[in-house]
Structures are given as C-alpha cells and as structure tokens.
Amino acid sequence: MDDDKGNAARTARWEERMEVPLGIASGLFLAGYAVHVLARQPSGVVDVSLIVVFASWALFLVDYAVRWRLSGLGLSFVHKHLLDTVVVVLPLLRPVRIVKVYDRQLRRHGEPRLSLYGRVIVYSGLSTSLLGFTGALAVYQQERGAPGTTMKTFGDAVWWACATLTTVGYGDVTPVTPGGRTIAVGMMACGLALLGAVTGSFSSWMIEIFSRGEGQKPPEDTKPPGS
C-alpha cells in the first residue's frame, strides 16, 4: 500500500513537471507536420520541420516510458492508460494533448468559470478542430498525386475532414489510397464520439435549464395597501 502511494506521488510530480513541455511539444508537432506536408518543395525548412516532429514524438515516448516505470504497474499500465498509449502510437491525436494541458492550467489557477456541460462542449469543440486539421494534413499527405484522387488541394482535404467529422459525408471528395481510408476510419470513429459528447452535453444542459424554469414558482401577486 505504501509503495502504491509512493508510486502515485512520484507519478503525479512527474506529470506536473511535464504538463507544459508536452503541451508545447504538441503545438510544435502540429506546426512541424503542417510545414512538412504543405511545403511546395524540399528545403531546409522542411528538414527542420521533420526534426521538430521527431523530437516532439521522442518527448512523448520519454514521458510515457518514465510514467510506466514510476507507476510500477508493469504491462497493466498499457490498458489502464489506453488513451496515453494511443497518443504515443497515433500522431493524429498528439495535438489534442493541448486541450488537456489547457484544462489543467485552468484548474490550477482556480475553479473553471464554465459549468461541466460548458467545459465538455468547449473542450470537445477544440479537440474536434485540432483532430480535423491534423487529419486533413495526414489524408492530404496520402492522397495528393495518387491516381484517381479527388483531393487535389489542401482545401479539399479540409472540406473532406469537416464532412467526415460531422458525419455528413457528401461523397464529393473521398480518399482512394489504403492509408487515406485507414485515417478516414479513425476520424469517423472520433467524430462520432466527439459529436456525441457535444450533443449529449448540450441536450442535458437544455433539459436542466427547462427543468429549473418549470420548478420555479411564479411570484405571488402583491396588492397595494388598503385595496
């Protein structure tokens, strides 16, 4: 029991130290990846962007390995921290770490101003935006120049990402490569989950508002003296 408490305390201290560096690494990863994908031709800037991408990935790996070691959980750490495992394996989800850091910083400086429903809606919206932009970059990297592709510009990729995450699926722009379709499946699943969180929270918030209004009694009529 004492060992578990000690491991938890050491892990908490490590996570506190790494919050801001990992948030910065998430932003740098997104910026470096965007430059790598959208650069017109190979250049020194592209080389630097690749270094930034791999350096940020290395920082995530180091953080994951240290937390695994400090936890003392062995292989059970993988499934008990499944989201962190997926973030390390899948580059698309690394920028979403910015939202987690933002939330922790707000909590550290006081109670969040938004209600629980409001935080869910805001954070889900931010996560969707980050995931959509990163997914558009990843799909565009796979699709550009592919035979029969309908995704000829990055604008097409952004349009496709919006339609996919919102589950609209117009079908005017679709991935044709195996890599692009694999990314599409992941974005569909994430889109359903995030939209479900937003719509569910919004519906619950509306029900709470209306229930609160119906539960209030109307003010009693006041009559003037002597009437």
Side-chain angles (χ1 to χ4, degrees):
M1 184 65 69
D2 292 338
D3 291 341
D4 293 340
K5 290 182 179 180
N7 291 337
R10 287 191 292 270
T11 301
R13 287 195 297 269
W14 172 261
E15 290 178 348
E16 185 176 348
R17 291 195 199 102
M18 294 300 294
E19 277 181 10
V20 175
L22 287 176
I24 295 173
S26 299
L28 290 176
F29 176 87
L30 183 58
Y33 187 49
V35 171
H36 173 66
V37 173
L38 299 178
R40 294 287 183 179
Q41 56 186 1
S43 63
V45 176
V46 175
D47 294 337
V48 172
S49 69
L50 280 177
I51 294 174
V52 171
V53 167
F54 284 111
S56 61
W57 191 0
L59 184 60
F60 276 96
L61 286 173
V62 169
D63 172 69
Y64 186 81
V66 171
R67 290 171 57 206
W68 188 344
R69 177 69 179 85
L70 293 176
S71 68
L73 296 175
L75 290 177
S76 61
F77 178 86
V78 176
H79 65 81
K80 286 186 177 180
H81 297 80
L82 186 59
L83 180 59
D84 294 323
T85 304
V86 173
V87 166
V88 170
V89 175
L90 297 179
L92 288 182
L93 296 180
R94 279 176 215 139
V96 180
R97 186 66 181 261
I98 298 174
V99 179
K100 183 178 180 181
V101 174
Y102 175 70
D103 180 58
R104 287 190 175 182
Q105 290 298 316
L106 285 182
R107 290 180 178 276
R108 183 174 299 173
H109 291 87
E111 289 294 327
R113 297 180 180 180
L114 296 176
S115 65
L116 175 61
Y117 299 133
R119 292 201 306 274
V120 171
I121 293 172
V122 171
Y123 296 153
S124 297
L126 288 174
S127 300
T128 303
S129 301
L130 291 169
L131 180 63
F133 183 69
T134 312
L137 288 171
V139 170
Y140 181 59
Q141 184 181 23
Q142 298 292 324
E143 294 294 311
R144 60 181 176 184
T149 184
T150 56
M151 201 174 295
K152 298 179 181 180
T153 65
F154 181 63
D156 293 335
V158 173
W159 169 253
W160 169 85
C162 294
T164 301
L165 287 173
T166 55
T167 68
V168 174
Y170 287 108
D172 55 342
V173 179
T174 56
V176 297
T177 63
R181 290 177 174 176
T182 301
I183 295 169
V185 171
M187 289 188 65
M188 291 174 195
C190 292
L192 286 172
L194 290 170
L195 279 179
V198 172
T199 55
S201 298
F202 183 75
S203 299
S204 299
W205 176 68
M206 292 294 292
I207 291 172
E208 180 182 346
I209 293 296
F210 284 118
S211 299
R212 190 184 305 165
E214 292 179 358
Q216 292 177 349
K217 295 181 179 180
E220 296 181 358
D221 292 334
T222 58
K223 296 182 180 180
S227 60

